[in-house]
Every structure is written in C-alpha cells, then in structure tokens.
Amino acid sequence: MKVYILQLGDMGNCTYIVEHKKQGLIIDPSWDMQAIEKILTKEDITPKAALFTHGHYDHVTDAKDLLEKYRIKGYIHYDDLDASNLPHKDMITFESDHSETLAGLKVDFLSTPGHSKGSVCIKIGNLIFTGDTLFPNACGRTDLPGGNPRDLMLSLQKLAKLPDNTVIYSGHAYGADGTGSTTIGQEKTNNPFLKMALREPENFEDMI
Ligand SMILES: [Zn+2]
C-alpha cells in the first residue's frame, strides 16, 4: 500500500490516493482533477472508488467529473450527501460506522460528526484520513451549518481510542511541517483540543 499526497486548490486541501496492487482509492478529490489523473496515469493506477470525509465544497469540487470519467462510485455519509452536491446516482451512502472492502483493502468509515453532521474519518490499516475533524494541533470548526461542538468532542474522544501509532492524514496541510500528517499518539500529547476533550470535556465547548 502506498499513499500519494496532493495539495490542491488555494485552501491547502489535501487529496490522497491510496494505491494497493495498482488499484486506487481517492480520498477527497477536489479542485484539480487533472493533477489527480496525472498521477493515476503515470503510476498506472486504476481508481476503484472515491471516498469523501464530508460534503463541504472544498473537499468535493469537480469530483463529479472524476466519478463520471472513471465510472466509479463515491462514498459519503448520508447526512452530508445533499451538501456535497454530488450526483446521487454516483454515490453510496451509509448512516453510521460502516466497513467496505475496496481495492482489496478493508476500509472503515468511522462516523465522527461535529465539524459537519456527516463527517467521517476513514481508516485503512493503521492509517486514518480525518478530513476536517482532526488536524495536527487543531480540530475542525463547528460554526458552519451542521456543526456541533459537543459532537466534535465525542468524535475526538472516539479517535483517541485508536492505537497511538495510527498515522493521521488530515484534510488540510495545516501541520507545522507543512503537511497534514501526524499520529494519534503525537496528538494525544500535543493537540490542545484533543487533550481538553479527554481531560476536561466539560470545558471543551468554551474552548472551541
Ligand atoms: Zn470542512
């Protein structure tokens, strides 16, 4: 398994291509379909599905072109389907924690509402793609439609139960090193929001 990281658009969005035996899963394809197609062609990867962490426009822009071109399905939580504006006929939805085998890989969609109602984190092996739920040293905002601070706190608590060596790839390149990558262990030590959710949950909503 190999992960290709693309930073696309002017909001520091991260799109990821997870490759396994030349089959690919594309996570949050947005902004620049040509850049994504270029890697797929160069590395001879056949895309099998697009996986969306949530439906905000900066994570889905132009993704419908990719779904149509490669005739693949997109996976998104039902509660973010309408916000995504993605064509319903091309989408597969689910309403709670959900698992699929895609591109020969077990993919676990963990329901993690808070940033949006239908936000999920996508776990593949010891990797987790956290979208806008958890960033290096930060977490997603909750002031957009469907956002909810208490839900986000519970979602952060849920993520903290993953093994410390779980590698995080987040939805924006907000990390100090210019990437969106970190680990659950690092975040449990450093991330003030995750620490507050675990140690002083009663104060979390005041912090955010
Ligand atoms: Zn978002």
Side-chain angles (χ1 to χ4, degrees), residues 5 7 11-14 16 130-131 134-139 168-183 186-187 190-191:
I5 305 172
Q7 289 176 18
M11 294 172 69
N13 279 85
C14 295
Y16 300 96
T130 56
L134 179 62
F135 299 113
N137 279 319
C139 64
I168 297 170
Y169 290 109
S170 65
H172 292 265
Y174 290 161
D177 62 352
T179 75
S181 307
T182 176
T183 65
Q186 255 175 289
E187 293 312 299
N190 300 325
N191 187 315

Side-chain angles (χ1 to χ4, degrees), residues 68-118:
E68 278 166 17
K69 175 167 180 168
Y70 293 103
R71 296 172 185 234
I72 55 175
K73 295 290 184 194
Y75 290 76
I76 195 165
H77 191 289
Y78 178 78
D79 288 338
D80 268 26
L81 176 62
D82 284 342
S84 75
N85 275 322
L86 289 163
H88 288 203
K89 68 174 175 51
D90 294 331
M91 302 302 290
I92 292 171
T93 60
F94 45 87
E95 294 184 55
S96 55
D97 288 356
H98 179 74
S99 297
E100 294 265 353
T101 300
L102 298 166
L105 296 166
K106 182 165 181 273
V107 178
D108 297 315
F109 297 90
L110 306 181
S111 177
T112 52
H115 172 66
S116 69
K117 213 175 161 201

